[in-house]
Amino acid sequence: MPIEHAFTYMVHPGRSDPDATKITGASVPLSGKLFGLLSDVYEKADRECDIDIEFKSGGKKDNACRDLITAFAAQPSVESGRAIAHRLASVTTHRSGLGLLFLILGKEGDAYKLLISRFPADSAILAEEKQSTLSVEFLERVFMKSAHSYKAALYKHVSIDAGFWLGSAVDKQITSPSVLASEYWVSAFLSSDFKTTSAQGTKRLATALRAAVRFASDPDVKHELVSATTLAKNLGGQVLSIADIRSKFSLSDAAYEAIKSSLKNPETLEEKFKFDFEEFSNQIAYRSVTLDTGVTISAPTKSFTNSVKEENIDGSAMRFTTQGKVIDERLKSAGQVNAPGA
Amino acid sequence: MRQELELQYRLRFEGILKPLAESLEVYIRETLAGVDRVDRVQARAKSPSRFMAKAGKGSHDNPKYSDPISQIQDQIGARIIVLYVSDVERVASTIDRYFNHIEKRDLVPESVSEFGYFGRHYLLNVPTDIIDPDWDKELIPDFFELQIKTLFQHAWAEANHDLGYKELGGELSQESKRRMAWAAAQAWGADQIFNDLASDHSQQAGA
């Protein structure tokens, strides 16, 4: 765990006012109450920073923010850290406001661990009781210990030079499910993106859903999972993880477990990505229902409920009706019908 | 020191890189499902002997890699071989959708009058899906190298690698190098012709 270096900088909004980017910074002593607070944040970062991110590259292993971060990690000083603070100031608007930036560098085993954290300035009232009197004072530029609004990014690797491409982030100021981590923090400042691309994460979810439907033995669970896919159109553009699907689709335990057990690596359950409805539609393009009569009804998933009318008959059987112009008819061998994907 | 490095790599090679390469090959195939004219997908872990040869580059006083285990980023290499030159871009656009890259470059000879190696190279992050959760995370590489090439580019590169880099009686003569460049020019020309033919054919089919 040992923290070896800690620095702090006052970062003013400088995006529209480059003159305001004169930045004061200081080294934080590695003992005392402030250090205790920072140690706590540093320790919790592995758990709190739950959004996997990756520096964007122009194609030549180039990323301006990573360059500053690795330069700082290689030679930590007030000056090398100030370059990071300058970058933050240059993307900070008046809406984001004044912030206090902390750079905390330590080692865990052979790995370097760097935490970059920003606390927004707040205002407060200081109340002091002195015998029979009470004095109150309005304080500006207060940085709250109750860390409900901080942003952080964490990088860990044994090699500063070759590693530090992948990291994790958190943005406690964001509450909207479609944003998750502010453009300001992840995209503008860190010049990063989600580690999992939209298409990759969406395909992973669709593949798990397909497998879960295929292997679920309970017809009710199958039906619940198939119904969930029709709700997916509401998720377009949202940032989510597969774990979030449980609450978004109000899935039963059995349906959720079926999805979970269909993942190749359960650790992908928590990886965040931006849902891509077009990709999802491609991955679950067709829906089919097979009856005990041997009849199979198949239609594009997008239009299944519009094209095929479903009626429950006495609770024990279903009637499916559809209509249209016949454009083709086919015959298949028994082998073709039973073949995977047939 | 060298022995220790080799032992360290061998453990990683057997325990993680080999199974990871197998899973990656399947993963890339699944990613490209439905993409036409992909001749083959291959992935392999860099052998301990090739890793050690690369790790030893540079001089004793000034080695190219100070931390080869972290710095050599093609410990897993994958290849996608396509039929025509225009397929490289098409396949690359699919790769760009499903993987983040830290490196993406077209390797071409320096001068327009030279012929040699051509290929699209990427450094892509290893998808979490193919990682065994029981593996030691510190031993799992963050990235793998992916090459996208045509059949002719691949054929030339393989022969060039075999003849040019293997110790088959020392370095190639000037004459042999010229013949190798001639073969590269033929491969380049064949790629252009087949690409034009494929384009003409698809236009006729669509007409």
Side-chain angles (χ1 to χ4, degrees):
Chain A
M1 113 78 186
I3 294 174
E4 295 174 353
H5 304 274
F7 301 96
T8 185
Y9 304 86
M10 185 82 89
V11 179
H12 293 259
R15 191 163 131 182
S16 55
D17 182 9
D19 293 339
T21 57
K22 188 181 173 194
I23 288 175
T24 51
S27 176
V28 177
L30 302 182
S31 61
K33 280 187 179 176
L34 176 58
F35 181 70
L37 166 69
L38 295 183
S39 297
D40 191 40
V41 173
Y42 182 80
E43 282 296 301
K44 285 180 184 165
D46 291 276
R47 195 177 63 250
E48 298 255 329
C49 296
D50 59 352
I51 307 168
D52 293 312
I53 56 172
E54 179 172 356
F55 282 115
K56 289 187 263 193
S57 163
K60 296 176 181 171
K61 294 188 187 173
D62 51 328
N63 181 289
C65 185
R66 181 180 173 274
D67 289 348
L68 298 177
I69 285 171
T70 52
F72 168 78
Q75 289 192 314
S77 68
V78 174
E79 264 324 293
S80 60
R82 200 188 312 270
I84 300 172
H86 267 292
R87 181 180 168 84
L88 180 61
S90 73
V91 298
T92 301
T93 59
H94 287 284
R95 185 168 167 240
S96 301
L98 182 69
L100 195 60
L101 175 73
F102 287 99
L103 304 175
I104 310 166
L105 181 67
K107 282 200 97 173
E108 270 189 7
D110 290 337
Y112 296 90
K113 176 177 173 180
L114 171 63
L115 179 70
I116 302 170
S117 187
R118 178 193 184 272
F119 290 80
D122 209 334
S123 52
I125 295 168
L126 176 68
E128 278 188 295
E129 247 183 345
K130 291 174 186 168
Q131 292 179 336
S132 60
T133 62
L134 174 69
S135 73
V136 290
E137 188 183 350
F138 184 74
L139 299 177
E140 287 182 291
R141 297 187 180 188
V142 173
F143 299 91
M144 308 292 279
K145 184 188 170 190
S146 58
H148 293 302
S149 55
Y150 77 92
K151 303 172 194 294
L154 177 68
Y155 297 93
K156 278 198 317 194
H157 206 279
V158 291
S159 169
I160 294 170
D161 171 37
F164 277 49
W165 276 101
L166 305 172
S168 50
V170 66
D171 187 344
K172 294 279 189 181
Q173 284 176 294
I174 298 294
T175 51
S176 165
S178 62
V179 183
L180 206 84
S182 67
E183 282 282 302
Y184 158 61
W185 184 244
V186 174
S187 186
F189 169 53
L190 295 170
S191 187
S192 295
D193 214 334
F194 293 116
K195 181 189 162 204
T196 305
T197 70
S198 293
Q200 186 182 34
T202 307
K203 184 183 177 190
R204 180 186 292 152
L205 168 62
T207 306
L209 265 167
R210 262 195 343 242
V213 170
R214 189 171 170 194
F215 295 114
S217 51
D218 183 340
D220 290 339
V221 171
K222 270 185 196 284
H223 190 70
E224 186 184 351
L225 290 166
V226 169
S227 302
T229 62
T230 60
L231 301 173
K233 60 176 176 289
N234 304 321
L235 299 179
Q238 283 196 29
V239 174
L240 46 84
S241 68
I242 294 178
D244 296 332
I245 292 299
R246 179 183 214 160
S247 58
K248 288 185 185 293
F249 292 161
S250 305
L251 291 176
S252 66
D253 289 349
Y256 180 67
E257 284 305 317
I259 295 174
K260 233 171 103 175
S261 61
S262 298
L263 293 171
K264 290 178 181 168
N265 178 353
E267 287 174 8
T268 57
L269 197 67
E270 303 288 346
E271 277 189 11
K272 305 282 186 191
F273 59 92
K274 191 176 264 190
F275 184 81
D276 178 346
F277 182 62
E278 195 182 329
E279 173 72 22
F280 189 77
S281 300
N282 288 337
Q283 294 298 333
I284 53 148
Y286 284 90
R287 175 182 167 190
S288 70
V289 177
T290 304
L291 306 180
D292 59 358
T293 55
V295 170
T296 296
I297 301 138
S298 179
T301 308
K302 269 183 186 171
S303 58
F304 191 97
T305 49
N306 292 331
S307 308
V308 182
K309 189 179 167 195
E310 301 175 41
E311 292 171 86
N312 197 326
I313 307 166
D314 299 336
S316 60
M318 298 287 290
R319 176 187 292 133
F320 293 86
T321 49
T322 188
Q323 63 181 58
K325 194 173 158 188
V326 175
I327 55 166
D328 193 16
E329 292 191 56
R330 289 185 190 192
L331 296 172
K332 286 182 179 177
S333 70
Q336 282 176 308
V337 172
N338 294 327
Chain B
M1 187 79 175
R2 233 179 119 72
Q3 275 181 334
E4 196 181 310
L5 177 65
E6 186 166 354
L7 180 64
Q8 194 184 352
Y9 187 75
R10 275 189 187 282
L11 285 172
R12 170 186 282 235
F13 176 76
E14 292 297 338
I16 290 174
L17 299 181
K18 269 169 68 176
L20 188 59
E22 284 172 21
S23 304
L24 180 64
E25 191 173 302
V26 174
Y27 186 87
I28 295 173
R29 278 209 188 97
E30 287 172 354
T31 300
L32 296 176
V35 178
D36 293 334
R37 298 195 297 274
V38 173
D39 179 73
R40 77 194 80 155
V41 174
Q42 296 170 321
R44 56 100 191 100
K46 189 180 271 302
S47 69
S49 60
R50 285 196 175 176
F51 175 82
M52 291 307 293
K54 191 165 184 175
K57 283 189 175 176
S59 64
H60 181 73
D61 295 337
N62 187 21
K64 185 173 179 186
Y65 301 105
S66 56
D67 177 10
I69 289 282
S70 299
Q71 291 168 325
I72 294 179
Q73 291 177 312
D74 63 348
Q75 292 172 28
I76 301 270
R79 262 187 214 128
I80 302 169
I81 308 299
V82 297
L83 297 195
Y84 309 128
V85 174
S86 58
D87 295 331
V88 171
E89 204 52 58
R90 213 165 39 84
V91 166
S93 71
T94 300
I95 292 299
D96 287 335
R97 291 189 66 231
Y98 291 95
F99 295 89
N100 283 326
H101 66 260
I102 61 167
E103 189 171 273
K104 177 183 180 178
R105 58 198 173 121
D106 282 315
L107 295 185
V108 293
E110 280 184 14
S111 158
V112 289
S113 58
E114 279 177 39
F115 287 94
Y117 184 89
F118 290 85
R120 169 77 53 95
H121 282 213
Y122 280 99
L123 269 180
L124 303 167
N125 61 351
V126 172
T128 317
D129 308 69
I130 58 170
I131 291 170
D132 185 328
D134 293 333
W135 287 342
D136 180 348
K137 290 204 166 29
E138 290 200 0
L139 299 182
I140 303 167
D142 289 337
F143 301 100
F144 70 96
E145 187 190 69
L146 174 72
Q147 302 174 0
I148 309 176
K149 289 187 283 206
T150 66
L151 280 165
F152 285 104
Q153 288 170 349
H154 175 59
W156 184 86
E158 286 296 286
N160 179 61
H161 193 269
D162 189 61
L163 296 168
Y165 289 92
K166 274 190 178 173
E167 292 175 8
L168 296 175
E171 201 185 337
L172 290 175
S173 66
Q174 291 294 307
E175 177 64 14
S176 295
K177 284 181 181 172
R178 192 178 294 279
R179 286 156 71 183
M180 202 64 105
W182 182 85
Q186 300 301 303
W188 182 87
D191 263 338
Q192 302 302 311
I193 295 292
F194 274 111
N195 203 56
D196 291 348
L197 286 169
S199 172
D200 292 350
H201 181 76
S202 79
Q203 278 175 13
Q204 281 166 13

